[in-house]
Amino acid sequence: MTLLDRPEAPPAHPARLILILSLAPTVGLGIGRFAYSLLLPDMRDSLQWSYSAAGFMNTINAAGYLAGALVTSQLVRRYGLAAVVRAGTLACVASLALCALSGNFVALSAARLIAGVGAALAFVAGAALASTIAQSQPGRSAFLLSLFYAGPGIGIVSSGLITPFLLQTAGPGSWWIGWLVMAALSAAMTLPLLLVRLDGHASIGGGSATHFTVRPVWIYLLGYFMFGAGYIAYMTFMIAYVRDAGGGAAAQSAFWCLIGCSAFVTPWVWRRVMALDRGGMSTTIILGVNAVGAALPLLGLSPLLLTISALVFGVSFFAVVASTTAFVRFNYAQASWPGAIAAMTVSFGIGQTLGPLLVGAITDAIGSLSSALAVSAATLALGALLSAFQRPLRRA
């Protein structure tokens, strides 16, 4: 008998259960994907990587996420939501430990690929399970779901509080210790997921889903692609940018934690904007603000500008995905949601797969991280512009 099929305790309260489920994206995304940015400067120096090689590590991670997202529904139908959430989260923990074992580029790439697949399984299945649990209390469903989507922010904050100071204390070449500590932290966060009873019998993507057509929303999909390519470049290289500008461990930690903390206020900041328009205008506004946040460091590297950049980028970054979900819910019948969300996920996934590699190549060619930041901001701005041309598909 394994932890995945052990006898389980009675069901927990919905809010407590969703908070425990939020540990899946905490580990898979907040730590598994984004903590790499904190360790990247030391890894690049120690392993003598180009910016293209550094970007490839997030490209392969995003490719794994895309692959995982495409197979999650089949795995859920076979094994259930709970088992997929647990297996995906455990894969992320294992991948973090693997990153600490070797500086070999191929081995690290394989570990980052596993992390991407695991994160997708944990996040997609976890979101479906959280939605099912939230429906048990319709009057509080929005609040309950917001608890789950706070998970990545928790992971960003926790890694930001630890990693910069660990690297400063341990000295150059200590990136592998950072991975080991992140693996230990993630293992501790995974324990509640293994010990608490989860409802593993719900499924996603089943039923009589109607056919989804790309043509009416092709420009919106293109805008979302641009968001995927633009945001990941900022999140990959921004800590390196802060460090190269003279920011020490405290500056790096504060910057990263500000981005993570922004996740907790996102629902209140953008609630009215997301109800403003059933076409692409809400996404345009949020994505435009995201582009401004990415561009602010180009004006200077004062603590004030970096603080505003982190807050503006963070509070809008977490809202773009929510605005896309709102667009799908406003414009499609419920039977079409799985196909529409899958199309959005694929478009976004391709963007965040290509973004880090292309921006890294541009940075190598020009020789300045400022170019990476400029490309990131321009890509986000283009995504905002494209989304503005999307019209509602049906009346309110």
PDB file of all heavy atoms in Angstrom, residues 163-196:
ATOM      1  N   THR A 163      15.945  31.934  -0.623  1.00  0.00           N
ATOM      2  CA  THR A 163      17.013  31.667  -1.584  1.00  0.00           C
ATOM      3  C   THR A 163      18.079  32.754  -1.692  1.00  0.00           C
ATOM      4  O   THR A 163      19.288  32.432  -1.650  1.00  0.00           O
ATOM      5  CB  THR A 163      16.411  31.384  -2.969  1.00  0.00           C
ATOM      6  OG1 THR A 163      15.425  30.351  -2.851  1.00  0.00           O
ATOM      7  CG2 THR A 163      17.485  30.943  -3.944  1.00  0.00           C
ATOM      8  N   PRO A 164      17.737  34.030  -1.837  1.00  0.00           N
ATOM      9  CA  PRO A 164      18.804  35.036  -1.979  1.00  0.00           C
ATOM     10  C   PRO A 164      19.757  35.070  -0.793  1.00  0.00           C
ATOM     11  O   PRO A 164      20.984  35.201  -0.971  1.00  0.00           O
ATOM     12  CB  PRO A 164      18.025  36.355  -2.101  1.00  0.00           C
ATOM     13  CG  PRO A 164      16.690  35.968  -2.629  1.00  0.00           C
ATOM     14  CD  PRO A 164      16.398  34.653  -1.982  1.00  0.00           C
ATOM     15  N   PHE A 165      19.232  34.934   0.411  1.00  0.00           N
ATOM     16  CA  PHE A 165      20.087  34.971   1.602  1.00  0.00           C
ATOM     17  C   PHE A 165      20.918  33.698   1.736  1.00  0.00           C
ATOM     18  O   PHE A 165      22.062  33.736   2.188  1.00  0.00           O
ATOM     19  CB  PHE A 165      19.220  35.187   2.848  1.00  0.00           C
ATOM     20  CG  PHE A 165      18.450  36.472   2.817  1.00  0.00           C
ATOM     21  CD1 PHE A 165      17.091  36.475   2.552  1.00  0.00           C
ATOM     22  CD2 PHE A 165      19.088  37.694   3.012  1.00  0.00           C
ATOM     23  CE1 PHE A 165      16.377  37.669   2.508  1.00  0.00           C
ATOM     24  CE2 PHE A 165      18.388  38.889   2.960  1.00  0.00           C
ATOM     25  CZ  PHE A 165      17.029  38.875   2.701  1.00  0.00           C
ATOM     26  N   LEU A 166      20.346  32.568   1.307  1.00  0.00           N
ATOM     27  CA  LEU A 166      21.101  31.313   1.324  1.00  0.00           C
ATOM     28  C   LEU A 166      22.299  31.403   0.388  1.00  0.00           C
ATOM     29  O   LEU A 166      23.419  31.011   0.751  1.00  0.00           O
ATOM     30  CB  LEU A 166      20.169  30.172   0.919  1.00  0.00           C
ATOM     31  CG  LEU A 166      20.714  28.740   0.982  1.00  0.00           C
ATOM     32  CD1 LEU A 166      19.571  27.769   1.227  1.00  0.00           C
ATOM     33  CD2 LEU A 166      21.439  28.343  -0.309  1.00  0.00           C
ATOM     34  N   LEU A 167      22.081  31.912  -0.832  1.00  0.00           N
ATOM     35  CA  LEU A 167      23.173  32.035  -1.796  1.00  0.00           C
ATOM     36  C   LEU A 167      24.231  33.023  -1.319  1.00  0.00           C
ATOM     37  O   LEU A 167      25.431  32.803  -1.521  1.00  0.00           O
ATOM     38  CB  LEU A 167      22.619  32.487  -3.148  1.00  0.00           C
ATOM     39  CG  LEU A 167      21.697  31.503  -3.880  1.00  0.00           C
ATOM     40  CD1 LEU A 167      21.158  32.129  -5.155  1.00  0.00           C
ATOM     41  CD2 LEU A 167      22.426  30.201  -4.200  1.00  0.00           C
ATOM     42  N   GLN A 168      23.791  34.100  -0.682  1.00  0.00           N
ATOM     43  CA  GLN A 168      24.748  35.078  -0.174  1.00  0.00           C
ATOM     44  C   GLN A 168      25.600  34.483   0.935  1.00  0.00           C
ATOM     45  O   GLN A 168      26.828  34.715   0.996  1.00  0.00           O
ATOM     46  CB  GLN A 168      24.007  36.301   0.358  1.00  0.00           C
ATOM     47  CG  GLN A 168      24.919  37.375   0.947  1.00  0.00           C
ATOM     48  CD  GLN A 168      24.145  38.590   1.406  1.00  0.00           C
ATOM     49  OE1 GLN A 168      23.968  39.543   0.666  1.00  0.00           O
ATOM     50  NE2 GLN A 168      23.655  38.565   2.635  1.00  0.00           N
ATOM     51  N   THR A 169      24.989  33.688   1.805  1.00  0.00           N
ATOM     52  CA  THR A 169      25.713  33.081   2.928  1.00  0.00           C
ATOM     53  C   THR A 169      26.641  31.969   2.469  1.00  0.00           C
ATOM     54  O   THR A 169      27.798  31.884   2.908  1.00  0.00           O
ATOM     55  CB  THR A 169      24.716  32.517   3.954  1.00  0.00           C
ATOM     56  OG1 THR A 169      23.865  33.576   4.415  1.00  0.00           O
ATOM     57  CG2 THR A 169      25.446  31.895   5.141  1.00  0.00           C
ATOM     58  N   ALA A 170      26.148  31.108   1.568  1.00  0.00           N
ATOM     59  CA  ALA A 170      26.940  29.955   1.129  1.00  0.00           C
ATOM     60  C   ALA A 170      28.012  30.323   0.107  1.00  0.00           C
ATOM     61  O   ALA A 170      28.993  29.598  -0.050  1.00  0.00           O
ATOM     62  CB  ALA A 170      26.022  28.882   0.550  1.00  0.00           C
ATOM     63  N   GLY A 171      27.827  31.444  -0.599  1.00  0.00           N
ATOM     64  CA  GLY A 171      28.847  31.905  -1.528  1.00  0.00           C
ATOM     65  C   GLY A 171      28.648  31.395  -2.942  1.00  0.00           C
ATOM     66  O   GLY A 171      27.754  30.584  -3.225  1.00  0.00           O
ATOM     67  N   PRO A 172      29.504  31.861  -3.880  1.00  0.00           N
ATOM     68  CA  PRO A 172      29.400  31.461  -5.286  1.00  0.00           C
ATOM     69  C   PRO A 172      29.453  29.943  -5.454  1.00  0.00           C
ATOM     70  O   PRO A 172      30.188  29.250  -4.753  1.00  0.00           O
ATOM     71  CB  PRO A 172      30.613  32.134  -5.937  1.00  0.00           C
ATOM     72  CG  PRO A 172      30.914  33.304  -5.043  1.00  0.00           C
ATOM     73  CD  PRO A 172      30.591  32.838  -3.647  1.00  0.00           C
ATOM     74  N   GLY A 173      28.676  29.435  -6.400  1.00  0.00           N
ATOM     75  CA  GLY A 173      28.657  28.005  -6.667  1.00  0.00           C
ATOM     76  C   GLY A 173      27.737  27.212  -5.762  1.00  0.00           C
ATOM     77  O   GLY A 173      27.717  25.977  -5.819  1.00  0.00           O
ATOM     78  N   SER A 174      26.945  27.892  -4.950  1.00  0.00           N
ATOM     79  CA  SER A 174      26.080  27.196  -3.987  1.00  0.00           C
ATOM     80  C   SER A 174      24.657  26.995  -4.517  1.00  0.00           C
ATOM     81  O   SER A 174      23.748  26.675  -3.751  1.00  0.00           O
ATOM     82  CB  SER A 174      26.032  27.969  -2.671  1.00  0.00           C
ATOM     83  OG  SER A 174      25.589  29.295  -2.873  1.00  0.00           O
ATOM     84  N   TRP A 175      24.461  27.178  -5.820  1.00  0.00           N
ATOM     85  CA  TRP A 175      23.125  27.035  -6.394  1.00  0.00           C
ATOM     86  C   TRP A 175      22.510  25.673  -6.093  1.00  0.00           C
ATOM     87  O   TRP A 175      21.289  25.567  -5.896  1.00  0.00           O
ATOM     88  CB  TRP A 175      23.177  27.243  -7.912  1.00  0.00           C
ATOM     89  CG  TRP A 175      24.142  26.346  -8.622  1.00  0.00           C
ATOM     90  CD1 TRP A 175      25.450  26.609  -8.920  1.00  0.00           C
ATOM     91  CD2 TRP A 175      23.885  25.022  -9.107  1.00  0.00           C
ATOM     92  NE1 TRP A 175      26.029  25.538  -9.564  1.00  0.00           N
ATOM     93  CE2 TRP A 175      25.079  24.550  -9.687  1.00  0.00           C
ATOM     94  CE3 TRP A 175      22.762  24.194  -9.118  1.00  0.00           C
ATOM     95  CZ2 TRP A 175      25.186  23.295 -10.267  1.00  0.00           C
ATOM     96  CZ3 TRP A 175      22.860  22.929  -9.695  1.00  0.00           C
ATOM     97  CH2 TRP A 175      24.064  22.500 -10.262  1.00  0.00           C
ATOM     98  N   TRP A 176      23.329  24.621  -6.045  1.00  0.00           N
ATOM     99  CA  TRP A 176      22.803  23.281  -5.813  1.00  0.00           C
ATOM    100  C   TRP A 176      22.221  23.155  -4.398  1.00  0.00           C
ATOM    101  O   TRP A 176      21.253  22.403  -4.175  1.00  0.00           O
ATOM    102  CB  TRP A 176      23.889  22.222  -6.040  1.00  0.00           C
ATOM    103  CG  TRP A 176      25.043  22.307  -5.079  1.00  0.00           C
ATOM    104  CD1 TRP A 176      26.158  23.081  -5.192  1.00  0.00           C
ATOM    105  CD2 TRP A 176      25.168  21.599  -3.853  1.00  0.00           C
ATOM    106  NE1 TRP A 176      26.977  22.903  -4.107  1.00  0.00           N
ATOM    107  CE2 TRP A 176      26.400  21.994  -3.268  1.00  0.00           C
ATOM    108  CE3 TRP A 176      24.376  20.658  -3.182  1.00  0.00           C
ATOM    109  CZ2 TRP A 176      26.846  21.481  -2.048  1.00  0.00           C
ATOM    110  CZ3 TRP A 176      24.809  20.146  -1.975  1.00  0.00           C
ATOM    111  CH2 TRP A 176      26.042  20.557  -1.416  1.00  0.00           C
ATOM    112  N   ILE A 177      22.789  23.910  -3.455  1.00  0.00           N
ATOM    113  CA  ILE A 177      22.229  23.910  -2.102  1.00  0.00           C
ATOM    114  C   ILE A 177      20.842  24.549  -2.131  1.00  0.00           C
ATOM    115  O   ILE A 177      19.923  24.103  -1.433  1.00  0.00           O
ATOM    116  CB  ILE A 177      23.158  24.663  -1.126  1.00  0.00           C
ATOM    117  CG1 ILE A 177      24.553  24.036  -1.120  1.00  0.00           C
ATOM    118  CG2 ILE A 177      22.575  24.674   0.284  1.00  0.00           C
ATOM    119  CD1 ILE A 177      25.559  24.797  -0.256  1.00  0.00           C
ATOM    120  N   GLY A 178      20.706  25.587  -2.936  1.00  0.00           N
ATOM    121  CA  GLY A 178      19.400  26.220  -3.079  1.00  0.00           C
ATOM    122  C   GLY A 178      18.344  25.254  -3.588  1.00  0.00           C
ATOM    123  O   GLY A 178      17.222  25.203  -3.065  1.00  0.00           O
ATOM    124  N   TRP A 179      18.701  24.462  -4.602  1.00  0.00           N
ATOM    125  CA  TRP A 179      17.758  23.459  -5.110  1.00  0.00           C
ATOM    126  C   TRP A 179      17.417  22.443  -4.024  1.00  0.00           C
ATOM    127  O   TRP A 179      16.261  22.015  -3.898  1.00  0.00           O
ATOM    128  CB  TRP A 179      18.355  22.739  -6.316  1.00  0.00           C
ATOM    129  CG  TRP A 179      18.325  23.493  -7.604  1.00  0.00           C
ATOM    130  CD1 TRP A 179      19.393  23.857  -8.373  1.00  0.00           C
ATOM    131  CD2 TRP A 179      17.169  23.973  -8.303  1.00  0.00           C
ATOM    132  NE1 TRP A 179      18.981  24.541  -9.489  1.00  0.00           N
ATOM    133  CE2 TRP A 179      17.625  24.625  -9.475  1.00  0.00           C
ATOM    134  CE3 TRP A 179      15.799  23.927  -8.047  1.00  0.00           C
ATOM    135  CZ2 TRP A 179      16.747  25.207 -10.395  1.00  0.00           C
ATOM    136  CZ3 TRP A 179      14.925  24.514  -8.964  1.00  0.00           C
ATOM    137  CH2 TRP A 179      15.405  25.136 -10.112  1.00  0.00           C
ATOM    138  N   LEU A 180      18.418  22.040  -3.250  1.00  0.00           N
ATOM    139  CA  LEU A 180      18.181  21.044  -2.199  1.00  0.00           C
ATOM    140  C   LEU A 180      17.232  21.591  -1.134  1.00  0.00           C
ATOM    141  O   LEU A 180      16.317  20.891  -0.683  1.00  0.00           O
ATOM    142  CB  LEU A 180      19.524  20.654  -1.568  1.00  0.00           C
ATOM    143  CG  LEU A 180      19.618  19.278  -0.903  1.00  0.00           C
ATOM    144  CD1 LEU A 180      19.260  18.182  -1.891  1.00  0.00           C
ATOM    145  CD2 LEU A 180      21.019  19.081  -0.351  1.00  0.00           C
ATOM    146  N   VAL A 181      17.439  22.838  -0.750  1.00  0.00           N
ATOM    147  CA  VAL A 181      16.561  23.459   0.251  1.00  0.00           C
ATOM    148  C   VAL A 181      15.153  23.618  -0.310  1.00  0.00           C
ATOM    149  O   VAL A 181      14.154  23.374   0.400  1.00  0.00           O
ATOM    150  CB  VAL A 181      17.140  24.816   0.699  1.00  0.00           C
ATOM    151  CG1 VAL A 181      16.140  25.576   1.564  1.00  0.00           C
ATOM    152  CG2 VAL A 181      18.439  24.609   1.471  1.00  0.00           C
ATOM    153  N   MET A 182      15.022  24.008  -1.567  1.00  0.00           N
ATOM    154  CA  MET A 182      13.700  24.135  -2.174  1.00  0.00           C
ATOM    155  C   MET A 182      13.002  22.771  -2.253  1.00  0.00           C
ATOM    156  O   MET A 182      11.778  22.675  -2.082  1.00  0.00           O
ATOM    157  CB  MET A 182      13.804  24.738  -3.574  1.00  0.00           C
ATOM    158  CG  MET A 182      14.201  26.215  -3.619  1.00  0.00           C
ATOM    159  SD  MET A 182      13.033  27.313  -2.768  1.00  0.00           S
ATOM    160  CE  MET A 182      13.897  27.606  -1.215  1.00  0.00           C
ATOM    161  N   ALA A 183      13.774  21.708  -2.509  1.00  0.00           N
ATOM    162  CA  ALA A 183      13.194  20.363  -2.535  1.00  0.00           C
ATOM    163  C   ALA A 183      12.686  19.967  -1.150  1.00  0.00           C
ATOM    164  O   ALA A 183      11.592  19.392  -1.017  1.00  0.00           O
ATOM    165  CB  ALA A 183      14.240  19.357  -3.022  1.00  0.00           C
ATOM    166  N   ALA A 184      13.466  20.284  -0.112  1.00  0.00           N
ATOM    167  CA  ALA A 184      13.048  19.958   1.250  1.00  0.00           C
ATOM    168  C   ALA A 184      11.797  20.748   1.642  1.00  0.00           C
ATOM    169  O   ALA A 184      10.861  20.202   2.244  1.00  0.00           O
ATOM    170  CB  ALA A 184      14.189  20.241   2.229  1.00  0.00           C
ATOM    171  N   LEU A 185      11.780  22.028   1.302  1.00  0.00           N
ATOM    172  CA  LEU A 185      10.616  22.861   1.596  1.00  0.00           C
ATOM    173  C   LEU A 185       9.380  22.335   0.869  1.00  0.00           C
ATOM    174  O   LEU A 185       8.282  22.243   1.449  1.00  0.00           O
ATOM    175  CB  LEU A 185      10.898  24.307   1.176  1.00  0.00           C
ATOM    176  CG  LEU A 185       9.744  25.315   1.314  1.00  0.00           C
ATOM    177  CD1 LEU A 185       9.342  25.465   2.769  1.00  0.00           C
ATOM    178  CD2 LEU A 185      10.143  26.666   0.719  1.00  0.00           C
ATOM    179  N   SER A 186       9.549  21.962  -0.391  1.00  0.00           N
ATOM    180  CA  SER A 186       8.423  21.450  -1.177  1.00  0.00           C
ATOM    181  C   SER A 186       7.931  20.110  -0.640  1.00  0.00           C
ATOM    182  O   SER A 186       6.721  19.837  -0.637  1.00  0.00           O
ATOM    183  CB  SER A 186       8.833  21.307  -2.646  1.00  0.00           C
ATOM    184  OG  SER A 186       9.155  22.561  -3.200  1.00  0.00           O
ATOM    185  N   ALA A 187       8.857  19.269  -0.190  1.00  0.00           N
ATOM    186  CA  ALA A 187       8.458  17.983   0.389  1.00  0.00           C
ATOM    187  C   ALA A 187       7.599  18.193   1.633  1.00  0.00           C
ATOM    188  O   ALA A 187       6.584  17.509   1.829  1.00  0.00           O
ATOM    189  CB  ALA A 187       9.697  17.160   0.728  1.00  0.00           C
ATOM    190  N   ALA A 188       7.990  19.157   2.465  1.00  0.00           N
ATOM    191  CA  ALA A 188       7.203  19.460   3.665  1.00  0.00           C
ATOM    192  C   ALA A 188       5.812  19.975   3.295  1.00  0.00           C
ATOM    193  O   ALA A 188       4.807  19.625   3.926  1.00  0.00           O
ATOM    194  CB  ALA A 188       7.937  20.488   4.522  1.00  0.00           C
ATOM    195  N   MET A 189       5.739  20.800   2.241  1.00  0.00           N
ATOM    196  CA  MET A 189       4.448  21.333   1.815  1.00  0.00           C
ATOM    197  C   MET A 189       3.568  20.268   1.163  1.00  0.00           C
ATOM    198  O   MET A 189       2.338  20.398   1.146  1.00  0.00           O
ATOM    199  CB  MET A 189       4.672  22.474   0.818  1.00  0.00           C
ATOM    200  CG  MET A 189       5.241  23.736   1.432  1.00  0.00           C
ATOM    201  SD  MET A 189       5.470  25.028   0.176  1.00  0.00           S
ATOM    202  CE  MET A 189       5.798  26.458   1.218  1.00  0.00           C
ATOM    203  N   THR A 190       4.176  19.223   0.635  1.00  0.00           N
ATOM    204  CA  THR A 190       3.419  18.164  -0.032  1.00  0.00           C
ATOM    205  C   THR A 190       2.756  17.205   0.951  1.00  0.00           C
ATOM    206  O   THR A 190       1.732  16.582   0.625  1.00  0.00           O
ATOM    207  CB  THR A 190       4.345  17.377  -0.986  1.00  0.00           C
ATOM    208  OG1 THR A 190       4.935  18.286  -1.923  1.00  0.00           O
ATOM    209  CG2 THR A 190       3.597  16.306  -1.759  1.00  0.00           C
ATOM    210  N   LEU A 191       3.294  17.094   2.147  1.00  0.00           N
ATOM    211  CA  LEU A 191       2.768  16.134   3.123  1.00  0.00           C
ATOM    212  C   LEU A 191       1.260  16.277   3.365  1.00  0.00           C
ATOM    213  O   LEU A 191       0.547  15.266   3.383  1.00  0.00           O
ATOM    214  CB  LEU A 191       3.535  16.245   4.441  1.00  0.00           C
ATOM    215  CG  LEU A 191       4.910  15.568   4.479  1.00  0.00           C
ATOM    216  CD1 LEU A 191       5.585  15.836   5.811  1.00  0.00           C
ATOM    217  CD2 LEU A 191       4.770  14.063   4.238  1.00  0.00           C
ATOM    218  N   PRO A 192       0.740  17.495   3.583  1.00  0.00           N
ATOM    219  CA  PRO A 192      -0.711  17.592   3.789  1.00  0.00           C
ATOM    220  C   PRO A 192      -1.530  17.045   2.617  1.00  0.00           C
ATOM    221  O   PRO A 192      -2.613  16.478   2.823  1.00  0.00           O
ATOM    222  CB  PRO A 192      -0.939  19.103   3.965  1.00  0.00           C
ATOM    223  CG  PRO A 192       0.361  19.627   4.461  1.00  0.00           C
ATOM    224  CD  PRO A 192       1.400  18.809   3.770  1.00  0.00           C
ATOM    225  N   LEU A 193      -1.030  17.189   1.385  1.00  0.00           N
ATOM    226  CA  LEU A 193      -1.739  16.658   0.222  1.00  0.00           C
ATOM    227  C   LEU A 193      -1.829  15.136   0.261  1.00  0.00           C
ATOM    228  O   LEU A 193      -2.777  14.541  -0.256  1.00  0.00           O
ATOM    229  CB  LEU A 193      -1.029  17.083  -1.063  1.00  0.00           C
ATOM    230  CG  LEU A 193      -1.231  18.508  -1.557  1.00  0.00           C
ATOM    231  CD1 LEU A 193      -0.266  18.811  -2.685  1.00  0.00           C
ATOM    232  CD2 LEU A 193      -2.666  18.726  -2.014  1.00  0.00           C
ATOM    233  N   LEU A 194      -0.838  14.510   0.881  1.00  0.00           N
ATOM    234  CA  LEU A 194      -0.810  13.049   0.952  1.00  0.00           C
ATOM    235  C   LEU A 194      -1.623  12.515   2.112  1.00  0.00           C
ATOM    236  O   LEU A 194      -2.064  11.361   2.084  1.00  0.00           O
ATOM    237  CB  LEU A 194       0.645  12.569   1.076  1.00  0.00           C
ATOM    238  CG  LEU A 194       1.613  13.006  -0.026  1.00  0.00           C
ATOM    239  CD1 LEU A 194       3.010  12.479   0.267  1.00  0.00           C
ATOM    240  CD2 LEU A 194       1.140  12.535  -1.390  1.00  0.00           C
ATOM    241  N   LEU A 195      -1.835  13.342   3.122  1.00  0.00           N
ATOM    242  CA  LEU A 195      -2.463  12.866   4.351  1.00  0.00           C
ATOM    243  C   LEU A 195      -3.954  13.184   4.453  1.00  0.00           C
ATOM    244  O   LEU A 195      -4.670  12.534   5.215  1.00  0.00           O
ATOM    245  CB  LEU A 195      -1.741  13.465   5.566  1.00  0.00           C
ATOM    246  CG  LEU A 195      -0.253  13.097   5.708  1.00  0.00           C
ATOM    247  CD1 LEU A 195       0.369  13.839   6.867  1.00  0.00           C
ATOM    248  CD2 LEU A 195      -0.086  11.591   5.863  1.00  0.00           C
ATOM    249  N   VAL A 196      -4.405  14.195   3.721  1.00  0.00           N
ATOM    250  CA  VAL A 196      -5.802  14.624   3.818  1.00  0.00           C
ATOM    251  C   VAL A 196      -6.634  13.925   2.748  1.00  0.00           C
ATOM    252  O   VAL A 196      -6.185  13.709   1.619  1.00  0.00           O
ATOM    253  CB  VAL A 196      -5.902  16.156   3.671  1.00  0.00           C
ATOM    254  CG1 VAL A 196      -7.359  16.602   3.551  1.00  0.00           C
ATOM    255  CG2 VAL A 196      -5.259  16.833   4.869  1.00  0.00           C
TER     256      VAL A 196
END
